[in-house]
Amino acid sequence: ATGTRGSMEPNEIRELVPELCRLMYDKGWATGTGGGFSIRDGDDIYITPSGVQKERIQPQDLFVINRDNEVSEAPQNSDLKLSECTPLFLQAYNLRDVWFP
């Protein structure tokens, strides 16, 4: 991972995203395959894949992209697709200027 690093290691972020997805699904805040989730850490954005039920996402299912929308890490399962919400995530990060703390 590149850029400014927070207090979490990449493997911790990979564990956190599926946990948050399950919690949001369990609370009824997210549907099975509807929408997507992302967490930014420095210049890296961890993104859930498209079409995977939120409660079933695993750490190895995540994509990691940079601010230029380039995939730096792809899931182990090559059948998984990058979330269709990715452009929205990038736009939100850019509009809020949250790239550099």
Side-chain angles (χ1 to χ4, degrees):
T2 60
T4 305
R5 170 81 43 220
S7 61
M8 296 184 78
E9 293 298 319
N11 63 325
E12 294 174 306
I13 296 169
R14 284 188 171 278
E15 294 289 333
L16 177 62
V17 173
E19 180 182 343
L20 291 173
C21 287
R22 281 188 289 280
L23 287 170
M24 289 185 208
Y25 176 82
D26 289 345
K27 292 190 173 287
W29 296 347
T31 60
T33 59
F37 293 95
S38 73
I39 291 181
R40 186 195 65 86
D41 182 49
D43 287 339
D44 296 329
I45 305 172
Y46 294 76
I47 301 178
T48 57
S50 182
V52 177
Q53 292 180 283
K54 300 301 176 281
E55 71 276 18
R56 294 186 178 172
I57 290 174
Q58 299 298 313
Q60 65 272 16
D61 295 339
L62 302 179
F63 285 86
V64 181
I65 68 166
N66 63 25
R67 66 186 307 169
D68 296 319
N69 199 22
E70 298 166 335
V71 176
S72 57
E73 295 178 41
Q76 292 177 357
N77 179 347
S78 62
D79 291 335
L80 295 177
K81 305 288 184 235
L82 189 59
S83 173
E84 293 180 13
C85 297
T86 300
L88 296 173
F89 296 142
L90 286 171
Q91 185 70 359
Y93 292 128
N94 285 325
L95 287 174
R96 300 293 300 174
D97 195 29
V98 293
W99 288 104
F100 304 105

